[in-house]
Structures are given as structure tokens and as C-alpha cells.
């Protein structure tokens, strides 16, 4: 939403000058208590919200997903690829995280509950979900660290690294109000549909 100068004056609003925001735009270093790792963050952004490989915090992706869910199907068909393209710009980050998790797994290090964004369901897949469960709030799909470890064991490192692309692909799905399944490139993907986002809960290789 944009406001003209006349709108701003009529509504009695005041524009905050850029100079007043400088202190809030400066990142500072904070230690992640679980790992001891030094992380940079901005004021107002808590640790734990920076796991998204799409150059945006998971919280922002949740908002985007909720917005997409409210659009008409025809508009969602246009909008979804745009947001997925933004997420996919950092696919290299996702792959590096998969590699890190694989290394931690081999060293027996604990799971810290990291969540990574895989993208938004293809509009036709999400329409299948909405036709059966219209209360569904978002096409956003995430995967947690434990599931990535399982995926590496079941479908291998390379296929796990391609999960962003696989999840976003159009396919013929089955859906039973809470679980969505579809096969892409010989991988059966099972997604649990949740109240504010959806989570990959199983993957396995199948004969096609």
C-alpha cells in the first residue's frame, strides 16, 4: 500500500527520516547459546529466525505463504514462481547447510532443530490441498534438521540437496486432509500440512 503526501497529511502521519533508523539497521554480534557460534543479527530479530535459505527470515516466508493462500488461484499461479525464485537464489546456502548437517551427522553431533525453507508448493498442488481442506493457511514448505539427516540416509546427499527444486515441482498428488504425497524424479515426498506452514516428514525412493 502506498500513500501520497496528501494522504499522509490528512491522516496526521509523520515520516520517520532515514537518519533515525540507522541504529536499527546496524547488525551486531550475539553468541548462539546452543552452539557457541557468533552470529550477526539486526535489532528486533531474535536468534532462530535466520535459518531460511531464501535471503529472508522464516517469519517473513510465513507471512508470504499466508498471503499466497488468500489469493485467487489464477493470481497465485503468477505470484508463486516469483517468490520461489527469490528463495531459490540462495539454493547454494541450502546445499551448504545440508553438507553441514551431513558432517555433523558423521561426527555424532546433536540436532539443534534448525528449520530450512524449501519454498512454496506449486499452485496446482496447493489447489488440490485447498479443494479438500480450504482452511489451509499457507503453501510454505519447510524441513527440519532431523528430517534432512533421514533424507541423506534414504535418498542420498545429492537428492537431498535438490529438495528445494523437488518440493516446488508440479506433480500428481494424493491428499487426505493432513498429509500430501507426490512423486518427483523417483522420490516420494510426504508433507504434513500444518496450521501456518507445511513440513516434509518423509522421503523415499520409488520405482517409476
Amino acid at each position: 500500500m502506498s500513500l501520497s503526501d496528501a494522504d499522509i497529511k490528512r491522516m496526521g502521519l509523520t515520516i520517520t527520516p532515514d537518519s533515525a533508523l540507522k541504529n536499527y539497521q546496524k547488525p551486531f554480534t550475539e553468541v548462539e547459546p546452543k552452539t557457541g557460534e557468533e552470529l550477526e543479527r539486526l535489532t528486533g530479530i531474535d536468534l532462530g529466525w535466520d535459518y531460511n535459505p531464501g535471503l529472508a527470515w522464516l517469519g517473513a516466508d510465513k507471512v508470504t505463504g499466508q498471503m499466497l493462500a488468500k489469493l485467487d488461484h489464477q493470481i497465485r499461479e503468477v505470484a508463486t514462481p516469483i517468490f520461489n525464485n527469490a528463495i531459490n537464489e540462495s539454493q547454494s546456502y541450502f546445499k551448504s547447510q545440508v553438507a553441514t548437517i551431513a558432517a555433523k551427522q558423521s561426527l555424532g553431533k546433536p540436532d539443534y532443530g534448525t528449520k530450512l525453507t524449501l519454498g512454496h508448493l506449486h499452485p496446482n498442488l496447493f489447489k488440490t490441498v485447498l479443494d479438500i481442506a480450504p482452511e489451509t493457511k499457507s503453501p510454505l514448505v519447510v524441513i527440519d534438521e532431523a528430517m534432512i539427516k533421514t533424507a541423506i540416509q534414504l535418498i542420498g546427499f545429492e537428492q537431498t540437496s535438490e529438495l528445494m527444486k523437488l518440493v516446488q515441482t508440479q506433480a500428481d498428488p494424493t491428499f487426505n486432509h493432513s498429509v500430501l504425497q507426490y512423486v518427483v524424479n523417483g522420490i516420494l515426498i510426504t508433507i504434513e500440512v500444518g496450521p501456518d506452514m507445511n513440513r516434509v516428514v518423509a522421503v523415499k525412493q520409488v520405482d517409476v
Side-chain angles (χ1 to χ4, degrees):
M1 178 179 177
S2 60
L3 298 176
S4 66
D5 290 341
D7 292 330
I8 293 171
K9 184 176 181 180
R10 185 179 67 255
M11 297 170 69
L13 301 177
T14 301
I15 298 176
T16 302
D18 291 342
S19 58
L21 299 175
K22 286 183 179 179
N23 289 336
Y24 296 96
Q25 295 171 337
K26 294 178 180 178
F28 63 92
T29 301
E30 185 168 348
V31 176
E32 162 52 62
K34 292 181 179 178
T35 65
E37 182 182 3
E38 290 189 351
L39 301 173
E40 279 195 349
R41 71 179 182 89
L42 296 174
T43 301
I45 304 297
D46 292 332
L47 291 173
W49 286 94
D50 58 345
Y51 294 130
N52 176 24
L55 294 181
W57 288 283
L58 183 57
D61 282 339
K62 289 170 64 176
V63 172
T64 300
Q66 291 165 4
M67 179 273 293
L68 285 171
K70 296 176 182 178
L71 298 176
D72 291 336
H73 176 64
Q74 290 81 1
I75 300 175
R76 193 184 305 118
E77 285 184 305
V78 176
T80 299
I82 295 172
F83 289 109
N84 276 342
N85 285 341
I87 291 172
N88 292 340
E89 286 180 2
S90 285
Q91 188 171 20
S92 60
Y93 174 77
F94 175 76
K95 290 182 177 181
S96 72
Q97 290 299 297
V98 172
T100 298
I101 291 169
K104 287 170 59 179
Q105 185 176 27
S106 65
L107 295 172
K109 291 190 175 182
D111 176 356
Y112 295 121
T114 300
K115 287 186 176 64
L116 296 169
T117 296
L118 294 176
H120 301 284
L121 290 170
H122 188 281
N124 291 339
L125 282 175
F126 190 59
K127 185 177 185 300
T128 297
V129 173
L130 287 178
D131 286 345
I132 297 173
E135 71 280 5
T136 304
K137 297 292 192 298
S138 174
L140 178 66
V141 180
V142 301
I143 188 169
D144 60 30
E145 186 172 341
M147 188 62 238
I148 290 176
K149 289 180 178 179
T150 300
I152 292 170
Q153 292 176 335
L154 295 178
I155 64 175
F157 176 81
E158 292 299 327
Q159 289 279 43
T160 301
S161 297
E162 295 297 321
L163 276 174
M164 290 177 71
K165 181 171 67 177
L166 298 179
V167 162
Q168 298 171 22
T169 300
Q170 161 68 341
D172 294 324
T174 59
F175 179 60
N176 68 355
H177 284 278
S178 61
V179 175
L180 177 71
Q181 289 188 314
Y182 52 99
V183 177
V184 181
N185 291 353
I187 304 298
L188 174 63
I189 301 171
T190 302
I191 296 173
E192 179 183 66
V193 176
D196 58 354
M197 68 177 75
N198 313 299
R199 186 168 60 95
V200 174
V201 294
V203 294
K204 71 174 183 178
Q205 291 182 322
V206 294
D207 295 329
V208 293

